[in-house]
């Protein structure tokens, strides 16, 4: 089976859409965290830009963690397939926007040098919610983090995303270059502000004058990003070989839908993203709230309760008894917390989300969404839950979703089978649950006391404790499937 590369590109079947631009043009973007989402979203838009004749936006990718993606992509000359799946329809499009991928742990100085290249005007990130080394509840840089401590002492060979950003900006300042714009593409509320805080906090520990320069000249626009891109499996790669006749170790699968809303605040040259369907705006916050509190919140509700009910995939959860009702109730609870947004129609947005979640061709695994929940639920579920509480409103669907996350921390399913809780705070939640598993009130008290995840009011307010304990007790007594099937909105 031939492998995708520049050499084999011309031999692919005619139905495979190929890049239609000069890939030898200048690299204008460095990306940190070249995972599946970046390859199906930002790189897709950069390709569209260059195909429309806007040159100089090739991407130099990087991984701060492992060589896996570099091994998948570099032998393919950076080429890979975006396989769009929608029901029984599929379309293969080759993306050529990525030039190559650097492996930062092998050669951190090379990534710093890439960030200091004069043509690089934009640095994008998808390093997951945990990759910013920021305390989710406070938004502050975790200065006690061992890797942050390393970067403070060894900024020339950093390990963390904030470290590489500071090192790259430091090198640009020393060379008399303008700073690049830092554009986070992670599912974090106010993601631009968060990465700015992390960078300035870290720079201040190293060189206050550098921090002042970044603060004055840098740009950290926020953005809302949306495209469902499940992790690629071996079966996906084999299916591509069967259906299209070539091997692609770096392929990604995605839904047709894609959206990108970007704050129009750049330090230097800005890619004309509005020419390829990106919404440039001065206020991302509204769309961010919609995305995190409607799409991502219902994803988190469905992944914990759905997995505990025995479902492997989101489309199965959407079809399971009672789930559509509890998701609709969650959205009923969210809507009063959303700001007015031009062009946003809640009814059609809900219908679109249900159709997207029901796309069985994506095979979106519940356990993938369950990952890193301690970094996700604060902005997806707890923020709206507390806003409603402050207005004197109960939120049974939010309480059930948070209870589902709490039950998931037990690390055993309803048949008593163990599973790994894949979360950076798994040790903390496991320690908190010692001696409390199976007891709803004790579990709620122990987990809401974790200040890295929850606002102190969660432990202090008896009504909140009672609502969460009641929801968790229902799960413990009756199981997730029955609890959802018999769920009654308030
Ligand atoms: P992935 O697993 O394919 O890639 C994750 C990337 O993050 C990898 O490059 C990994 O090396 C890097 N990473 C993980 N932990 C890190 C750390 N502590 N420091 C630095 N880098 C770290 O996952 P995928 O699908 O690319 O998603 C990545 C992020 O993109 C998500 O966490 C989310 O914030 C955002 N996103 C994902 C969507 C999706 O449907 N997959 C859709 C919308 C946003
Ligand atoms: C998902 C998101 O894994 C998760 O946490 O909720 O990656 C989701 O697929 C995207 O935000 C959709 O844009």
């Amino acid at each position: 089976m031939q492998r995708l590369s520049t050499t084999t590109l011309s031999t692919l079947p005619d139905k495979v859409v190929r890049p239609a631009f000069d890939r030898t043009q200048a690299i204008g973007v460095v990306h940190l965290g070249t995972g599946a989402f970046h390859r199906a979203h930002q790189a897709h838009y950069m390709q569209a830009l260059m195909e429309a004749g806007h040159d100089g936006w090739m991407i130099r990718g990087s991984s701060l963690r492992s060589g896996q993606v570099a091994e998948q992509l570099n032998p393919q000359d950076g080429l890979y397939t975006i396989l769009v799946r929608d029901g029984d329809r599929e379309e293969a499009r080759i993306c050529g926007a990525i030039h190559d991928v650097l492996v930062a742990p092998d050669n951190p100085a090379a990534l710093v040098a890439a960030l200091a290249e004069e043509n690089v005007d934009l640095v994008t990130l998808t390093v997951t919610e945990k990759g910013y080394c920021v305390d989710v509840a406070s938004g502050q840089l975790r200065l006690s983090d061992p890797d942050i401590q390393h970067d403070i002492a060894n900024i020339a060979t950093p390990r963390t995303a904030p470290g590489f950003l500071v090192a790259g900006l430091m090198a640009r300042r020393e060379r008399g270059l303008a700073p690049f714009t830092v554009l986070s593409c992670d599912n974090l509320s106010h993601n631009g502000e968060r990465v700015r805080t992390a960078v300035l906090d870290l720079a201040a520990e190293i060189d206050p004058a550098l921090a002042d320069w970044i603060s004055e000249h840098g740009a950290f626009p926020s953005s809302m990003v949306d495209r469902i891109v499940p992790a690629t499996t071996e079966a996906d790669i084999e299916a591509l070989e069967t259906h299209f006749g070539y091997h692609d170790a770096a392929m990604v699968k995605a839904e047709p839908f894609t959206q990108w809303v970007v704050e129009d605040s750049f330090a230097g040259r800005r890619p004309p993203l509005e020419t390829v369907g990106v919404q440039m705006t001065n206020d991302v916050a509204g769309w961010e709230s919609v995305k995190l509190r409607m799409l991502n919140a219902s994803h988190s509700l469905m992944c914990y309760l759905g997995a505990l009910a025995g479902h492997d995939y989101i489309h199965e959860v959407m079809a399971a008894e009672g789930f559509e009702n509890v998701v609709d109730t969650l959205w009923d609870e969210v809507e009063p917390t959303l700001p007015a947004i031009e062009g946003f129609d809640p009814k059609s947005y809900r219908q679109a989300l249900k159709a997207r979640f029901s796309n069985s061709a994506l095979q979106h695994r519940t356990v993938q969404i369950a990952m890193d929940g301690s970094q996700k639920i604060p902005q997806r579920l707890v923020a709206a839950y507390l806003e409603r509480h402050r207005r004197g409103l109960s939120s049974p669907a939010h309480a059930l979703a948070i209870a589902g996350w709490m039950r998931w921390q037990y690390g055993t399913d309803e048949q008593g089978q163990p599973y790994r809780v894949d979360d950076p705070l798994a040790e903390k939640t496991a320690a908190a649950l010692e001696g409390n598993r199976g007891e709803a009130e004790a579990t709620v008290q122990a987990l809401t006391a974790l200040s890295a995840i929850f606002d102190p009011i969660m432990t202090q307010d008896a009504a909140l404790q009672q609502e969460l304990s009641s929801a968790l007790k229902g799960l413990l007594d009756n199981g997730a499937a029955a609890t959802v099937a018999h769920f009654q909105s308030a």
Side-chain angles (χ1 to χ4, degrees), residues 37 42 124-126 132 183-187 191 223 225 260:
F37 179 60
Q42 302 100 67
T124 50
L125 301 95
T126 50
Y132 297 85
L183 181 56
S184 169
C185 298
D186 277 298
N187 280 330
N191 50 17
S223 81
V225 290
W260 199 5

Side-chain angles (χ1 to χ4, degrees), residues 389-411:
H389 177 70
R390 283 191 278 272
R391 298 182 194 176
L393 301 171
S394 68
S395 310
H398 278 78
L400 182 56
I402 295 168
W405 172 81
M406 291 181 168
R407 172 61 184 79
W408 186 257
Q409 304 316 300
Y410 283 11

Side-chain angles (χ1 to χ4, degrees), residues 187 225-228 291 295-296 299 364 369 376 380:
N187 280 330
V225 290
D226 189 5
R227 190 172 206 179
I228 295 176
K291 167 57 172 30
L295 187 155
N296 291 118
H299 254 184
H364 200 176
I369 301 169
K376 296 177 177 180
R380 298 181 179 197

Side-chain angles (χ1 to χ4, degrees), residues 49-65:
L49 270 184
M50 291 182 282
E51 288 185 333
H54 302 291
D55 291 346
W57 297 107
M58 285 296 284
I59 300 164
R60 168 147 284 156
S62 69
S63 170
L64 310 190
R65 311 275 285 188

Side-chain angles (χ1 to χ4, degrees), residues 26-91:
I27 293 170
V29 184
V30 169
H31 184 79
L32 305 187
T34 309
F37 179 60
H38 170 70
R39 303 204 296 277
H41 186 270
Q42 302 100 67
H44 154 80
Y45 285 103
M46 290 305 164
Q47 165 139 311
L49 270 184
M50 291 182 282
E51 288 185 333
H54 302 291
D55 291 346
W57 297 107
M58 285 296 284
I59 300 164
R60 168 147 284 156
S62 69
S63 170
L64 310 190
R65 311 275 285 188
S66 81
Q68 184 188 21
V69 174
E71 287 157 19
Q72 293 168 344
L73 258 181
N74 291 342
Q76 298 182 181
D77 305 311
L79 293 167
Y80 63 93
T81 311
I82 300 176
L83 188 69
V84 177
R85 284 185 176 162
D86 189 14
D88 55 8
R89 287 191 310 108
E90 62 179 6
E91 179 206 68

Side-chain angles (χ1 to χ4, degrees), residues 301-385:
L301 180 151
M302 289 192 285
C303 77
Y304 299 117
L305 298 175
L308 289 166
H311 303 297
D312 291 332
Y313 303 109
I314 283 295
H315 67 272
E316 294 172 338
V317 181
M318 261 320 281
E321 185 185 359
F323 274 94
E324 186 170 358
N325 170 49
V326 72
V327 166
D328 270 323
T329 306
L330 183 85
W331 290 340
D332 291 341
E333 294 172 0
V334 167
E335 281 178 23
T337 75
L338 298 176
I341 303 155
E342 189 180 345
F344 171 65
D345 168 35
K347 189 169 183 294
S348 54
Y349 190 79
R350 286 191 189 207
Q351 286 167 348
L353 284 184
K354 289 180 181 178
R356 293 171 64 192
F357 291 161
S358 302
N359 183 354
S360 58
L362 292 177
Q363 300 277 295
H364 200 176
R365 304 186 70 84
T366 47
V367 292
Q368 177 182 351
I369 301 169
M371 183 176 71
D372 294 351
S374 68
Q375 313 296 302
K376 296 177 177 180
I377 66 165
Q379 61 240 342
R380 298 181 179 197
L381 295 167
V382 179
Y385 184 53

